C-alpha cells in the first residue's frame, strides 16, 4: 500500500504535467525559440496575445522570419493586421521578396491592398518579371471592298503594379485589341492590303494606347494568323437585290389589284347604264299609248312607226347575214 505522501507526490506530478502541456500548447515556445534563433525579436507575450486574438502565430512568425532573412523591413503588426483582414500573409511576403530581388518598387501596403482586392500579388510580380502572352480568338473585320478578313493576335503584356488595384483586366485588353483590329481592317481599301502587310494591324493598334486604365502594360501585339472569310459585300448586294425584287413584285401586284378593281367598277357602271336604257325603253310604249289616248298621234302614225321598226329590223338581219357570208368566203380562200 502506498502512503499518503507518495499519493500526494503522484497527484502533484500529474498536475504539473497537465499544466506544462496546457502551457506549451497555448504558448508556442518552439516558435519563439525559432524566432530568436533567426534574429527576430518577438516577445513571448506577443505570441500569447496572438492566441487570445485567435491568430495562428506560425502564420505570422514564419513569414516574419522569411522577410527578415530577405532583408525586408516588415513589422509584425503589419503582418497581423493583414491576417486579421483576411489576407494571405505568406503570399504577400513572397511577393515582396520577389519584387525586392527584381528591383521592383513595391511597398507592403500596396502589396496588401492588391492581395485584399482579390488579385494574386505574387503572380503580378512574376508577370512584371516574366511578361504574359494573351492570345485572342479570330476577330473578323470587313475591308472596303466587302471581303471579310479574320485575324488572330498574340498580346504580350506586363503587369503594372501601380494600376493593379482598380485597373481593368485581361478581358478589357482583348476587347480593345479586337476593336482596333476591326477598325484597321475596315479602313483598308482592299483586303489584299491587309494580307500583304499584317504588321500594319499591330502597328496601328499598338499606337492607340490601349493599355490606358488597365492593370497591364502592352509590350507588343503580334498577328499570329490571317484568314479570308466571306464576301460580305456581295451577300449584302444580293440581299438588297432580292429585297428590291420583292418590293417591285408587291407594287406590281398592288397595281394589278387596282386594275382589276377598276375593271369591275366599270362593268358595274355599264350594267347600271344598260339598266337605265332598258328602263327608258320600257317607258316608250307607255308614252305612245298615252299619245294615242290623248289624240296626239293617229292610228296611221302608229302603223307607220311599226313599219319603220320592221324595216329597220329586216335591214339589220340582212346586214348580219352578209357579214357571215363574207367570213365564210374568207375562210374558204
Amino acid at each position: 500500500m502506498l502512503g499518503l505522501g507518495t499519493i500526494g507526490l503522484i497527484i502533484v506530478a500529474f498536475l504539473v504535467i497537465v499544466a506544462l502541456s496546457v502551457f506549451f500548447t497555448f504558448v508556442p515556445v518552439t516558435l519563439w525559440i525559432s524566432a530568436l534563433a533567426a534574429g527576430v525579436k518577438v516577445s513571448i507575450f506577443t505570441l500569447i496575445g496572438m492566441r487570445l486574438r485567435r491568430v495562428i502565430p506560425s502564420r505570422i512568425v514564419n513569414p516574419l522570419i522569411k522577410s527578415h532573412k530577405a532583408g525586408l523591413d516588415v513589422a509584425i503588426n503589419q503582418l497581423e493586421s493583414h491576417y486579421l483582414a483576411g489576407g494571405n500573409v505568406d503570399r504577400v511576403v513572397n511577393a515582396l521578396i520577389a519584387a525586392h530581388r527584381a528591383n521592383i518598387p513595391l511597398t507592403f501596403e500596396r502589396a496588401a491592398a492588391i492581395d485584399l482586392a482579390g488579385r494574386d500579388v505574387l503572380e503580378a510580380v512574376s508577370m512584371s518579371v516574366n511578361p504574359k502572352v494573351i492570345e485572342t480568338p479570330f476577330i473578323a473585320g470587313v475591308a472596303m471592298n466587302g471581303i471579310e478578313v479574320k485575324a488572330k493576335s498574340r498580346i504580350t503584356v506586363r503587369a503594372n503594379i501601380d494600376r493593379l488595384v482598380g485597373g481593368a483586366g485581361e478581358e478589357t485588353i482583348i476587347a480593345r485589341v479586337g476593336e482596333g483590329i476591326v477598325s484597321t481592317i475596315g479602313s483598308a481599301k482592299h483586303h489584299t492590303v491587309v494580307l500583304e502587310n499584317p504588321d500594319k494591324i499591330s502597328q496601328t493598334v499598338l499606337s492607340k494606347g490601349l493599355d490606358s486604365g488597365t492593370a497591364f502594360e502592352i509590350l507588343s501585339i503580334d498577328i499570329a494568323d490571317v484568314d479570308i472569310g466571306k464576301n460580305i459585300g456581295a451577300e449584302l448586294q444580293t440581299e438588297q437585290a432580292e429585297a428590291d425584287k420583292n418590293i417591285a413584285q408587291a407594287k406590281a401586284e398592288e397595281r394589278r389589284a387596282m386594275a382589276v378593281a377598276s375593271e369591275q367598277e366599270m362593268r358595274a357602271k355599264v350594267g347600271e347604264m344598260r339598266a337605265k336604257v332598258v328602263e327608258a325603253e320600257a317607258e316608250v310604249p307607255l308614252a305612245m299609248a298615252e299619245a294615242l289616248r290623248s289624240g296626239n298621234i293617229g292610228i296611221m302614225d302608229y302603223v307607220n312607226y311599226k313599219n319603220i321598226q320592221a324595216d329597220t329590223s329586216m335591214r339589220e338581219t340582212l346586214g348580219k347575214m352578209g357579214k357571215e357570208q363574207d367570213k365564210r368566203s374568207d375562210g374558204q380562200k
Side-chain angles (χ1 to χ4, degrees):
M1 297 297 294
L2 298 176
L4 294 176
T6 304
I7 294 174
L9 290 175
I10 292 174
I11 294 174
V12 171
F14 176 76
L15 293 176
V16 169
I17 292 172
V18 171
L20 290 175
S21 299
V22 173
F23 176 78
F24 284 110
T25 301
F26 191 76
V27 180
V29 179
T30 56
L31 191 63
W32 176 67
I33 295 173
S34 298
L36 290 179
V40 178
K41 296 181 179 180
V42 180
S43 172
I44 191 69
F45 297 103
T46 301
L47 299 178
I48 295 174
M50 289 181 186
R51 290 288 192 187
L52 295 175
R53 289 188 293 271
R54 296 184 179 180
V55 176
I56 302 175
S58 60
R59 298 284 182 87
I60 305 298
V61 175
N62 290 332
L64 184 64
I65 294 173
K66 191 189 303 184
S67 63
H68 178 74
K69 290 296 183 181
L72 300 177
D73 185 15
V74 180
I76 190 172
N77 289 332
Q78 290 178 313
L79 298 179
E80 188 175 355
S81 63
H82 185 63
Y83 178 85
L84 291 172
N88 192 322
V89 177
D90 192 62
R91 185 166 55 192
V92 169
V93 171
N94 290 337
L96 290 172
I97 294 173
H100 180 69
R101 294 286 186 268
N103 292 325
I104 298 175
L106 179 63
T107 63
F108 177 83
E109 298 299 332
R110 181 171 292 277
I114 295 172
D115 183 64
L116 291 176
R119 295 183 179 272
D120 193 336
V121 62
L122 182 58
E123 181 183 357
V125 174
S126 301
M127 195 183 299
S128 297
V129 178
N130 185 21
K132 180 181 179 180
V133 177
I134 303 174
E135 185 170 336
T136 65
F138 272 108
I139 299 172
V142 181
M144 290 185 179
N145 62 342
I147 304 299
E148 182 184 34
V149 180
K150 299 178 181 179
K152 179 189 288 186
S153 64
R154 290 189 177 96
I155 313 165
T156 305
V157 297
R158 179 172 58 194
N160 191 327
I161 301 297
D162 294 334
R163 294 201 303 260
L164 204 59
V165 177
E170 296 181 10
E171 292 79 6
T172 302
I173 292 290
I174 294 175
R176 290 182 179 179
V177 171
E179 181 183 357
I181 291 175
V182 172
S183 176
T184 305
I185 295 175
S187 62
K189 293 184 178 180
H190 204 277
H191 69 280
T192 56
V193 177
V194 181
L195 298 178
E196 292 172 358
N197 300 300
D199 58 325
K200 286 186 177 181
I201 299 177
S202 58
Q203 293 174 2
T204 305
V205 175
L206 193 60
S207 63
K208 292 184 177 181
L210 303 179
D211 54 2
S212 176
T214 65
F216 304 98
E217 177 186 354
I218 298 178
L219 301 179
S220 67
I221 300 175
D222 304 307
I223 303 301
D225 192 9
V226 178
D227 289 338
I228 298 296
K230 300 178 182 179
N231 192 337
I232 304 297
E235 290 184 357
L236 291 176
Q237 290 178 358
T238 303
E239 292 177 359
Q240 184 63 42
E242 185 68 22
D244 293 341
K245 185 189 75 171
N246 294 334
I247 293 173
Q249 288 179 346
K251 289 183 178 179
E253 183 65 23
E254 181 182 359
R255 289 194 297 270
R256 188 190 70 82
M258 292 178 64
V260 171
S262 178
E263 180 183 0
Q264 296 295 330
E265 184 179 357
M266 294 304 295
R267 287 182 179 179
K269 288 183 178 180
V270 169
E272 183 180 356
M273 297 304 293
R274 285 179 179 175
K276 290 181 179 180
V277 170
V278 171
E279 183 180 359
E281 289 178 348
E283 292 179 357
V284 171
L286 297 176
M288 292 185 68
E290 182 63 27
L292 286 171
R293 282 195 299 268
S294 61
N296 291 327
I297 61 174
I299 189 63
M300 293 304 297
D301 295 328
Y302 178 73
V303 171
N304 291 333
Y305 169 72
K306 298 297 289 184
N307 289 333
I308 293 172
Q309 278 188 336
D311 186 54
T312 303
S313 176
M314 181 183 64
R315 291 183 181 186
E316 288 179 354
T317 304
L318 291 174
K320 291 180 180 180
M321 294 175 61
K323 290 182 179 179
E324 291 179 357
Q325 290 179 355
D326 292 337
K327 289 181 180 179
R328 290 175 184 175
S329 60
D330 291 337
Q332 291 177 357
K333 291 179 181 180

